[in-house]
Amino acid sequence: MAENTRRDFIKRGALGTAAMLVYPPSRVLGANDRVRVGMIGVGGRGQELLKQVVGTPNAQLVAIADIYTRSRDEAKRMAPGIQTLDDHRRLLDMKDIDAVIVASPLHIHSRHFLDTLAAGKDLYSEKTMTWSVAEADQCLAAAKNSNRVVQIGLQHESSGSLADARKWIKDGIVGKVTQVESWMSRNSPHGKGQWVRQVPPDCTAQNVNWKAFLNGRPDREFDPFKFINWRLYWEFSGGNVTENMVHQIAWIMTALDLPEPSAAFMSGGVFSEKDGRQVPDTIVVTLEYPADTVVTWQSTFSNSHYGLGERLLGSDGTIEHISGATDMVTGRSAEGIRYYPESVNRHNGTALTGETPNQNHMANWIECVRSRKTPNASVEIGYRSAIAAHMANMSYRRKQRVTLEMAKTLQPES
Ligand SMILES: NC(=O)c1ccc[n+]([C@@H]2O[C@H](COP(=O)([O-])OP(=O)(O)OC[C@H]3O[C@@H](n4cnc5c(N)ncnc54)[C@H](O)[C@@H]3O)[C@@H](O)[C@H]2O)c1
């Protein structure tokens, strides 16, 4: 990590700690009051969330803040009644906003997270909760010291498949699970890199607040490609581990009630997408957990045959959760969860198919803002899944097995 980045990081840390001390009271919502929502960062994912919140009963989108003219214009077209702002701090100053959705790039999550809580608003923050372990510690502490409702954008925490898996485990028909396999696979058409987005002609230094995007990273000339394709670079991203593994690992950790991993190892490389990106396209992660469990996650961007899924291998039964050859993000696949008994320990056991419907993750958040209950993807699972992802990336970048203790003390690398 460059020295000025480290200084900025420490400074941001200090700001975060200061922010934790002040929590203005929230508005008490009456039975007929709508939750008034603001959004920070309304790009690809933000626009999907915008549609969701606009379609949620008892919620009203009031304003959005984004540093790129195109994102502001597109949001305004989608929800003409809203106010559009170019600075998230102005949005957080608005007294008529109760709750805020953050869908900015990964390296800015913790700033938007801490600022939102300090402004006394409830929060929906996209995954991965933070870019680094230290930021995850700060955000968890801030959330715990506040009485704010926090939902993380890990929508599979609201899935019926997770409810089914938890029920089977609780019913005792799975037995002791010592091993979990999980995988996620995609393919890219020849000549087109996975995740690569074209830079729109209006993506210029005039139309983008580049300094706000850099968020304390070393200053440099505007780079439209990096601004649009931040996912490909460590400075702003955690690669596929923070983009996709985090969804599956959160699902597995919730199903099995796992704490943070005790150690992580990750290998792989940039093997298929040779376009100058830094984050690997081919990945094998091993996560060790304290209670005799090891979890693996594999991913590739050059073969989609096996889609994605998780297999929980228990002494008394197997849980297999499979999505077709698409991904967790779009959800466009025939998803299914099944239980298969292990005949050596459950002679008369029968196979089961999960049937619990998914809950609406956005509606769950809005309901919790009203009821003050804990949402399905709490800050704790946001934290534990973020730590797992960061440990994996640290291992890959240092080419060594990383324990939880090491992860807590090592400096993040930009
Ligand atoms: N839960 C999911 O399934 C899911 C799916 C896709 C993306 N995501 C997450 O959503 C987040 C955004 O991803 P994306 O694909 O929408 O990225 P994006 O680049 O398309 O959008 C990011 C938006 O944030 C804006 N922005 C950048 N810096 C800002 C700042 N300082 N203040 C305000 N706005 C700022 C950009 O102008 C842009 O409009 C990421 O964390 C990603 O991992 C989650």
Side-chain angles (χ1 to χ4, degrees), residues 344-392:
V344 289
N345 288 322
R346 290 194 74 235
H347 316 288
N348 301 320
T350 47
L352 302 168
T353 301
E355 282 168 2
T356 307
N358 294 333
Q359 287 181 48
N360 180 318
H361 200 58
M362 181 60 70
N364 169 252
W365 178 57
I366 295 290
E367 270 163 42
C368 291
V369 168
R370 304 177 68 79
S371 68
R372 313 311 294 166
K373 288 193 181 142
T374 304
N376 290 338
S378 67
V379 68
E380 277 84 9
I381 187 62
Y383 176 81
R384 282 184 278 134
S385 57
I387 296 295
H390 299 324
M391 285 172 67

Side-chain angles (χ1 to χ4, degrees), residues 57-122:
N58 282 332
Q60 179 193 1
L61 183 65
V62 174
I64 65 102
D66 198 291
I67 56 152
Y68 181 18
T69 48
R70 168 178 284 258
S71 298
R72 293 198 293 275
D73 294 347
E74 287 177 351
K76 184 84 179 171
R77 264 200 298 282
M78 293 170 75
I82 59 170
Q83 216 177 313
T84 56
L85 304 157
D86 61 6
D87 185 333
H88 80 282
R89 291 168 298 185
R90 300 291 80 75
L91 182 133
L92 294 177
D93 285 344
M94 289 176 68
K95 296 283 173 282
D96 58 348
I97 287 182
D98 307 305
V100 172
I101 298 171
V102 169
S104 47
L106 181 67
H107 70 295
I108 323 176
H109 283 184
S110 68
R111 169 159 192 185
H112 290 154
F113 188 115
L114 295 170
D115 287 357
T116 298
L117 293 191
K121 320 283 191 199
D122 295 318

